[in-house]
Amino acid sequence: MKMVMIICPENRTDTIRELIAGQDVHAYSELHEVSGAGDKGMKFGNRVWPGQSVVMFTVVPEGKKAQLFSALRECRASLPSADSLHAFVVPVEEVL
């Protein structure tokens, strides 16, 4: 099993939800109002550094991970240069 963690701008949440569902993945979690700094600048939800991110994550079998990650790569390539989308794969040792 693998956990796929996705960080995207708030305004791309619906797109990522649809992308996840399109890969036949129906169990995921979201963390909203995430602040931080990255390669596209700072996002702290204020006038100086507007915008915030959303972290979405799901645990999937190895084969599904490859499908999902491929779809995320395609999505990232289609985004405007001002938007960022990052995804990480983390091994899952146990599921309860």
Side-chain angles (χ1 to χ4, degrees), residues 5-52:
M5 181 171 54
I6 306 155
I7 303 171
C8 67
E10 286 178 311
N11 64 338
R12 299 292 176 197
T13 305
D14 287 340
T15 301
I16 300 303
R17 282 186 196 128
E18 290 172 14
L19 183 145
I20 291 170
Q23 303 308 308
D24 200 29
V25 175
H26 304 288
Y28 62 90
S29 296
E30 299 180 13
L31 303 173
H32 291 264
E33 298 181 15
V34 176
S35 300
D39 61 348
K40 302 288 180 169
M42 296 184 183
K43 293 184 178 180
F44 288 100
N46 59 35
R47 290 185 311 172
V48 178
W49 294 295
Q52 289 184 305

Side-chain angles (χ1 to χ4, degrees), residues 70-82:
S70 178
L72 288 164
R73 277 192 185 99
E74 289 179 24
C75 179
R76 181 180 178 170
S78 71
L79 293 176
S81 61

